[in-house]
């Protein structure tokens, strides 16, 4: 039993204080956290000044959080933690569409629209027909699948970032598949945009010489009874930021085709089939 704290016995001194009655998972997590945190502190020889800077950074990160803004999730995103948690928790069988980050701009309860409807309500941007099928692992269509979609507008902002400027529910909608599993809707060919970078996380990126941009993408959340929920995006293939997404969300399999159309109702067409894994 280590009674007094020294740099050498620091981990044992802290972890020995946990009660045997504490929740076993909490014990496991805290034990590992203290081990890694102390090893990290020793490895980098953390100075008092750097410790104060870190506390100040976390304090500013907390203070900027509100119902509309979650700077801690943004921090998790730019450190690759969100994608790592997603990868660990969402392994998918071969053939199923891969997942990626949810991001902060999903809004529950978007209007349910008819197949083929337009979601870009502000009349800006290059129009694009999105279409494809929702399938199971055997390639059979899934009926009754709900496809919740959202994207930024042509200026790189989500409607919730510009209340009163963009129409409510601009570039959002939900679509429910019929027996053929098909979906289609008209949106815009999305554009790359910076994640919110006017707070401590943005400042950190700047100091690290990292840009805050995400490559252009359309967000999807697919739910269907008997299948695992899929949160994902499709990416525009020629985007300059594909290889340097600020939040590490790009997966090769999610890069979609965007075909230029002539004499058609939309300027672009992007076909993509989603394959859901069983529950
Ligand atoms: C997004 O794609 O909407 C997003 C994801 C992570 C951080 C910020 C934005
Ligand atoms: Fe996004």
């Amino acid at each position: 039993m280590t009674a007094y704290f020294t740099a050498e016995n620091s981990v044992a001194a802290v972890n020995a204080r946990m009660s045997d009655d504490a929740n076993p998972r909490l014990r496991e997590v805290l034990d590992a956290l203290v081990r890694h945190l102390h090893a990290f502190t020793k490895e980098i020889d953390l100075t008092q000044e750097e410790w104060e800077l870190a506390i100040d950074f976390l304090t500013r990160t907390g203070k900027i959080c509100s119902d509309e803004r979650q700077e801690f999730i943004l921090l998790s995103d730019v450190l690759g933690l969100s994608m790592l948690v997603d990868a660990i928790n969402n392994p998918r069988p071969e053939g199923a569409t891969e997942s990626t980050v949810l991001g902060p701009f999903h809004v529950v309860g978007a209007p349910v629209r008819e197949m083929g409807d337009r979601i870009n309500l502000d009349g800006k941007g290059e129009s694009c027909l999105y279409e494809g099928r929702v399938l199971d692992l055997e390639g059979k269509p899934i009926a009754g699948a709900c496809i919740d979609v959202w994207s930024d507008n042509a200026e790189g902002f989500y409607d919730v970032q510009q209340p009163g400027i963009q129409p409510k529910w601009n570039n959002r909608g939900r679509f429910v598949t019929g027996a053929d599993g098909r979906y289609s809707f008209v949106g815009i060919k999305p554009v790359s945009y910076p994640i919110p970078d006017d707070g401590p996380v943005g400042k950190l990126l700047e100091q690290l010489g990292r840009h805050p941009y995400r490559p252009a993408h359309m967000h999807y959340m697919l739910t269907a009874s008997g299948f695992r929920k899929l949160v994902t995006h499709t990416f525009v293939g020629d985007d300059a930021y594909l290889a340097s997404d600020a939040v590490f969300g790009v997966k090769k399999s999610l890069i979609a085709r965007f075909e230029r159309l002539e004499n058609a109702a939309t300027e672009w067409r992007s076909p993509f089939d989603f394959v859901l894994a069983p529950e």
Side-chain angles (χ1 to χ4, degrees):
M1 180 75 173
T2 40
Y4 300 113
F5 188 100
T6 66
E8 290 70 35
N9 75 9
S10 68
V11 172
V14 174
N15 282 343
R17 295 277 175 95
M18 282 191 281
S19 157
D20 288 342
D21 301 332
N23 176 297
R25 177 62 177 163
L26 182 65
R27 277 182 65 109
E28 185 186 355
V29 171
L30 263 291
D31 180 275
L33 177 67
V34 169
R35 270 190 286 114
H36 287 277
L37 201 56
H38 286 218
F40 161 75
T41 306
K42 289 171 188 176
E43 182 186 323
I44 61 164
D45 246 326
L46 189 71
T47 67
Q48 190 75 34
E49 216 171 45
E50 288 164 343
W51 176 83
E52 280 166 21
L53 262 171
I55 296 293
D56 180 56
F57 174 81
L58 292 173
T59 305
R60 284 183 287 116
T61 300
K63 281 188 176 164
I64 206 171
C65 287
S66 67
D67 286 348
E68 288 79 42
R69 178 153 185 172
Q70 231 307 345
E71 193 79 357
F72 280 112
I73 294 184
L74 206 59
L75 180 60
S76 159
D77 294 340
V78 303
L79 294 180
L81 180 62
S82 306
M83 282 302 287
L84 182 58
V85 171
D86 180 54
I88 291 170
N89 286 276
N90 291 296
R92 278 169 206 276
E94 182 83 17
T97 303
E98 293 190 277
S99 55
T100 189
V101 276
L102 171 67
F105 299 123
H106 178 250
V107 180
V108 174
V112 177
R113 305 186 194 276
E114 294 295 317
M115 284 304 172
D117 272 0
R118 210 157 60 84
I119 60 167
N120 53 320
L121 310 177
D122 60 359
K124 293 181 179 166
E126 296 182 294
S127 59
C128 179
L129 171 67
Y130 293 83
E131 59 182 351
R133 292 169 302 164
V134 184
L135 304 169
D136 67 14
L137 283 174
E138 272 122 46
K140 289 205 221 78
I142 300 175
C146 176
I147 306 175
D148 192 345
V149 303
W150 67 104
S151 84
D152 59 349
N153 75 350
E155 280 143 17
F157 294 104
Y158 288 85
D159 59 349
V160 288
Q161 294 176 287
Q162 296 188 313
I165 297 176
Q166 290 190 40
K168 196 166 164 59
W169 304 115
N170 191 30
N171 292 304
R172 294 178 191 276
R174 284 184 291 166
F175 299 86
V176 180
T177 57
D180 60 2
R182 290 197 172 276
Y183 75 88
S184 65
F185 65 92
V186 174
I188 60 161
K189 182 168 181 262
V191 298
S192 43
Y193 65 85
I195 59 171
D197 64 346
D198 56 342
V201 171
K203 213 164 267 163
L204 177 66
L205 289 183
E206 194 188 321
Q207 286 175 341
L208 292 172
R210 280 178 55 178
H211 70 72
Y213 281 85
R214 296 218 62 207
H217 55 273
M218 176 64 72
H219 287 264
Y220 293 87
M221 181 186 287
L222 284 91
T223 46
S225 148
F227 294 88
R228 287 179 50 199
K229 175 159 112 179
L230 173 65
V231 175
T232 194
H233 315 341
T234 58
F235 291 91
V236 181
D238 60 358
D239 195 283
Y241 297 107
L242 275 180
S244 64
D245 183 359
V247 304
F248 307 96
V250 180
K251 290 177 178 173
K252 198 164 172 233
S253 67
L254 300 177
I255 299 174
R257 287 202 329 261
F258 278 76
E259 304 160 354
R260 196 63 155 127
L261 301 180
E262 302 293 337
N263 305 319
T266 59
E267 293 158 278
W268 296 88
R269 171 179 176 265
S270 181
F272 198 90
D273 287 345
F274 294 93
V275 179
L276 301 188
E279 214 151 44

